[in-house]
Amino acid sequence: MIDARRLRTLRAVADHRTVTAAAAALYLTPSAVSQQLAALEQETGHHLLARDGRGVRLTAAGEILLGHADAVLAQLERAEADLAAYSAGVAGEVTVAAFATGIALVVAPAITALAEGAPGVRIKVLDAEGDASLPMLLDGLADIAVAVEYRGAPRADDQRLTRVPLYAEPFEAVLPLGHPLAAAQGPVAVADLAAEPWIGPYPGNPCHDVVLLACEYAGFQPRLVHSSDDFSAVVALASAGAGVALVPRSALRGVDLSRVAVRRVDSELATRKVFAAVRSGAERHPLIRPVLAALTTAAQGISAG
């Protein structure tokens, strides 16, 4: 009989590539993780891991078992959700990991709605970049992730996750007032900014990926001269004439735009797609279900606006 706890350990090692990192994610010692993996190999009768430099990789047998592990763990989440639904009353805490503008746009309004519609549900918010919330969810540090699409993100058909689309928002071109296109009529062509110095987020930030993708589709690699993950700083640099930028529309709220020109762009790729995710099966949990509903309702308000 295969122990499901050891399957969770195998998944953590597959995600983190080292026993030490997996142990930290599981709040175990490396020795305990190694013992669980050894026991799992004994249970299955197969070598599941092989050395790969300073880390480890799954063997062919390990990859086969991992696919089954994801299905088993998702079914266990569903079982826990059904048992929780059977229990009388709905009261407890749900941890939501989300990036800053996602907190402002959907998480905070959801908290307000839940205070009236489901007062027994308490929300704990963790501020996390758009590419950090999904690993936190998969490691069990959060119950819900509000995340954005980015290169390297788990695929939409990843069996470990259930996704709920929330909203999509365009990026705007932020230009110095003296820029030739600052007073342009209609959308600005991304290709027309090819020769400019650029201001943008650091690599790893999902918005960096969106900027690169829009520019690559327009036929060029942006010359990123200045880097900041703080969009108010990005706007300040543009106002000083340091370069041009593409910024998500919602990130411009509350920012001083008096010394820049904000223009629509002609690229459908310059869009931030935001979704909520839970571990597969957990969407049925009586605490998580109303939070997902409240996030979806808040997002509908953004689309309507």
Side-chain angles (χ1 to χ4, degrees):
M1 183 70 71
I2 297 175
D3 190 321
R5 292 172 298 178
R6 292 166 187 158
L7 293 178
R8 198 178 300 277
T9 302
L10 181 69
R11 166 42 76 184
V13 172
D15 285 341
H16 295 281
R17 301 298 180 184
T18 69
V19 169
T20 300
L26 295 171
Y27 295 98
L28 297 172
T29 65
S31 176
V33 168
S34 296
Q35 289 174 9
Q36 289 198 23
L37 293 171
L40 185 58
E41 289 185 328
Q42 186 173 6
E43 287 172 345
T44 60
H46 290 278
H47 292 294
L48 303 174
L49 297 169
R51 291 286 181 186
D52 186 12
R54 295 186 177 181
V56 293
R57 60 175 175 80
L58 267 63
T59 63
E63 292 286 357
I64 291 171
L65 183 60
L66 186 66
H68 290 288
D70 290 338
V72 169
L73 295 174
Q75 188 61 41
L76 287 175
E77 291 278 0
R78 284 188 282 271
E80 291 179 4
D82 288 346
L83 287 172
Y86 178 77
S87 301
V90 176
E93 183 176 86
V94 176
T95 300
V96 179
F99 58 101
T101 50
I103 293 172
L105 290 178
V106 294
V107 178
I111 291 174
T112 300
L114 288 166
E116 180 177 348
V121 180
R122 303 185 307 277
I123 304 297
K124 176 181 178 181
V125 179
L126 301 178
D127 189 340
E129 289 296 338
D131 60 338
S133 57
L134 290 177
M136 293 171 68
L137 174 68
L138 291 171
D139 285 343
L141 302 177
D143 301 305
I144 299 175
V146 176
V148 301
E149 294 287 358
Y150 62 94
R151 294 179 182 180
R155 289 164 48 96
D157 60 356
D158 192 312
Q159 293 186 20
R160 296 173 293 167
L161 299 173
T162 296
R163 294 187 181 207
V164 178
L166 293 179
Y167 64 93
E169 63 170 325
F171 280 54
E172 308 275 20
V174 178
L175 312 173
L177 284 179
H179 193 279
L181 296 176
Q185 298 296 316
V188 171
V190 176
D192 290 342
L193 303 174
E196 303 292 340
W198 280 72
I199 312 157
Y202 284 101
N205 186 315
C207 291
H208 177 89
D209 289 343
V210 173
V211 172
L212 283 188
L213 188 61
C215 292
E216 288 171 2
Y217 190 78
F220 70 97
Q221 288 280 341
R223 181 164 57 92
L224 284 165
V225 177
H226 308 286
S227 297
S228 175
D229 289 333
D230 184 335
F231 288 116
S232 62
V234 170
V235 171
L237 288 169
S239 71
V244 301
L246 294 181
V247 177
R249 179 175 291 170
S250 65
L252 296 174
R253 297 183 181 185
V255 177
D256 181 7
L257 303 175
S258 61
R259 293 183 293 165
V260 295
V262 179
R263 295 289 179 267
R264 291 182 296 125
V265 294
D266 68 350
S267 175
E268 294 183 0
L269 296 176
T271 302
R272 176 158 67 174
K273 298 178 181 178
V274 182
F275 61 92
V278 299
R279 292 181 295 278
S280 290
E283 68 274 8
R284 298 163 61 174
H285 195 287
L287 289 175
I288 291 177
R289 190 168 56 242
V291 179
L292 288 176
L295 291 171
T296 302
T297 300
Q300 290 171 347
I302 298 171
S303 300

